[in-house]
Amino acid sequence: NITDSLFSLYKERGISGATAWRGVKGYGSRGVTSASYLEIVINLPIIIETVDEPEKIEELLRNVKEIVGDRGLITLEEVNVI
């Protein structure tokens, strides 16, 4: 799965940290997905936030793009960690 592959890559490369968030509802090229108490949906959205120095993130991008492919969206955001 994408999350496990990314986390393995991050650990291998010594990335400072990452968190995976599971969405409860999503909309995109595959339509609407949602979860309720009566059903299990495998294709729910996931956001993975990865934190490290910009240089380390840049070094990973090619590998991240290969893992994610056309199954996700990759964004870069500059943050201030307090």
Side-chain angles (χ1 to χ4, degrees), residues 3 7 21 29 33 42 46 61:
T3 305
F7 275 56
W21 304 85
S29 62
T33 57
I42 303 293
I46 298 173
L61 280 179

Side-chain angles (χ1 to χ4, degrees), residues 8-38:
S8 292
L9 173 67
Y10 298 161
K11 185 172 181 173
E12 175 185 304
R13 298 287 185 88
I15 294 300
S16 293
T19 301
W21 304 85
R22 170 80 62 191
V24 295
K25 193 166 194 164
Y27 173 78
S29 62
R30 293 178 177 92
V32 176
T33 57
S34 64
S36 72
Y37 296 111
L38 302 175

Side-chain angles (χ1 to χ4, degrees), residues 1-80:
N1 91 19
I2 292 174
T3 305
D4 290 340
S5 297
L6 288 173
F7 275 56
S8 292
L9 173 67
Y10 298 161
K11 185 172 181 173
E12 175 185 304
R13 298 287 185 88
I15 294 300
S16 293
T19 301
W21 304 85
R22 170 80 62 191
V24 295
K25 193 166 194 164
Y27 173 78
S29 62
R30 293 178 177 92
V32 176
T33 57
S34 64
S36 72
Y37 296 111
L38 302 175
E39 63 182 310
I40 298 173
V41 178
I42 303 293
N43 191 25
L44 286 173
I46 298 173
I47 297 172
I48 301 172
E49 294 180 349
T50 308
V51 179
D52 211 313
E53 296 296 323
E55 298 80 22
K56 288 185 83 171
I57 298 295
E58 289 289 333
E59 291 173 6
L60 288 176
L61 280 179
R62 191 186 93 236
N63 299 102
V64 170
K65 289 176 185 177
E66 289 173 2
I67 292 168
V68 173
D70 66 351
R71 298 173 291 170
L73 176 67
I74 301 167
T75 64
L76 292 174
E77 304 294 330
E78 189 171 329
V79 297
N80 294 316

